Amino acid sequence: MPANVKINAANHCYTIKIRKGLVERLGLEILNLNDYSDTEIALITDEKVSGLYLQKVIMNFQRCPKPEGTKLRICELLIDSHEASKNFRTVSKLLEDLASLGLSEKVCIAALGGGVVCDAAGFAAGCYKNGVRLVLIPTTIAAMVKSSAGGHARLNLSAGENLAGMSYNPSLVLCDTECLRTLPDDEYRSGLSEAFKTSIVAGGDVFRMFERGIDSGNIEKVIEECVKFRADISSNDDMQKSLKLGCVVGSAIGALSMYEIQHGLATAQGIAITARAAAKMKWCSDETSDRIINAMKKNNLPVSCRSFTAQEITQAALANRTQGSMIDMVIASEIGKCEIKSVKAEELESIISMGMTA
């Protein structure tokens, strides 16, 4: 069912709209935000999304009703959507392009695409001219769940994923679930994994939806519940840390694959390995681990890693750490309750090995 989620951030409120057909009315939605007679729009997207939607969007801007005398200028900027491109080089190029186009502080940056596009555009919007208006139009489940609430834009560094970040709230978020129909299977499941991780942390009805199975009939409700939950915990540091469930192992798998394995699918493998290991370490019950694994299987999410060994994953997870240091692993002690376990670096391989097999 269509939903509007109101986000009350510090000194800033905005709406997240979740429904089909929002891309078709993007021009109207954005122009309704604008109180300028000179309207500048910088559409940031990637090549794949551009081919699917860009001409429709531009035509929609041109055809939608506007106040008399409105001068509309639309600029299109393309970036690479690969996870390895979510870095300062990409943002620097965006900033240079915005400046070379002569766009003013009144420009509205509209990010149309997945998580890489939303993060890079959000970072650029927060930097350009000391901050300009931002509208997010996430086209993947992962971006709808992660980028919508919380007002954070994150970039990767050579030492790891999402190590650089800034807080910057959008003026509006439009989650058009019609866009999910065009996603390749791996990208769809990758995004579903991000929603699933949120459901483990949240517990309750949203996790039970995954146990019953997610389909086109309840995906909007899942996105809505995940967005609401993430918005509710956006200022709770402890709960935010819970969203790193599976990330020690998952980020290592992603790095080992040179990001060829979709981020969410790597995270899913990390969640499954961590759940099995937690049960064997008596950090959670067998029932909790089994519920997580069975819900993943129900939704065709990967529950094992066949590409790398426990030793390789451990080495990647410990890269750039000093010898003998501790590493924090987020585990689900119950559905709806996560804890941080600090383990010795020399014990990590044994723990990961436990989680590699049923």
Side-chain angles (χ1 to χ4, degrees), residues 173-243:
V173 181
L174 303 171
C175 299
D176 186 346
T177 52
E178 189 73 15
C179 295
L180 304 182
R181 294 192 310 106
T182 64
L183 294 179
D185 179 67
D186 276 3
E187 198 162 347
Y188 181 89
R189 291 188 301 121
S190 180
L192 199 61
S193 170
E194 294 292 343
F196 179 65
K197 178 176 67 174
T198 305
S199 81
I200 297 172
V201 180
D205 288 342
V206 65
F207 184 81
R208 284 190 285 272
M209 278 193 280
F210 276 92
E211 289 187 299
R212 293 190 294 269
I214 305 303
D215 55 30
S216 59
N218 60 8
I219 188 62
E220 285 186 4
K221 185 63 176 176
V222 167
I223 293 169
E224 178 190 353
E225 293 302 320
C226 288
V227 166
K228 284 179 177 178
F229 179 76
R230 284 179 174 251
D232 287 342
I233 67 168
S234 61
S235 59
N236 186 323
D237 289 342
D238 289 338
M239 292 298 290
Q240 284 290 317
K241 290 174 184 175
S242 295
L243 291 173

Side-chain angles (χ1 to χ4, degrees), residues 310-324:
Q311 183 182 42
E312 290 171 326
I313 294 170
T314 302
Q315 289 173 348
L318 295 177
N320 303 308
R321 292 176 183 269
T322 58
Q323 188 174 6

